[in-house]
Amino acid sequence: MLVRSKIAWRMFGVTEVLLPALLLTGVPGISRYSDETPLAYHHVLFKGHHVIFANGTETESLFGGEQALNAVGAAARTEIFAIFPEMRRMASQTAGARPFVYGPEGRKLVRRHLANDVPLVSPKDKDSCQSVA
């Protein structure tokens, strides 16, 4: 999920970072899906990694990195490589649309947002944050 803030800038030197949704479960209004109804995930894949809007929230398209491709399973990987054969050789070289933040650093970022009552996604304007390419 995309986080855009001055806190991200102070911690990582960029205003926009991507972190796993699981790290956001401590934020009011965000929780793990616990319904017994089956849940379906739909991934959107482009030739590159992009920040996209899904249900009104900035998130990421499917990342074409080696670890992510291994996580989708053999059948999906075969289909992806049939559509995008160049990804087979590029998987280990693919750059993310924004820097990835995981584990302790991601949890610290979320804690700082909560402690300072700062939204996870600040407006994108020159006064709130520096923009990133």
Side-chain angles (χ1 to χ4, degrees), residues 74-116:
R77 239 183 348 273
T78 299
E79 183 178 0
I80 289 168
F81 292 149
I83 298 168
F84 299 109
E86 66 277 8
M87 288 188 80
R88 187 180 303 275
R89 64 181 179 282
M90 292 175 51
S92 63
Q93 303 167 15
T94 303
R98 303 292 186 277
F100 296 105
V101 177
Y102 300 105
E105 288 183 321
R107 286 188 288 278
K108 182 177 180 181
L109 175 64
V110 173
R111 279 194 309 271
R112 286 183 63 182
H113 276 86
L114 290 170
N116 292 289

Side-chain angles (χ1 to χ4, degrees), residues 20-44:
L22 183 62
L23 295 183
L24 301 177
T25 56
V27 175
I30 300 175
S31 61
R32 286 184 131 190
Y33 182 80
S34 59
D35 193 338
E36 292 186 21
T37 306
L39 181 64
Y41 287 93
H42 299 275
H43 296 288
V44 179

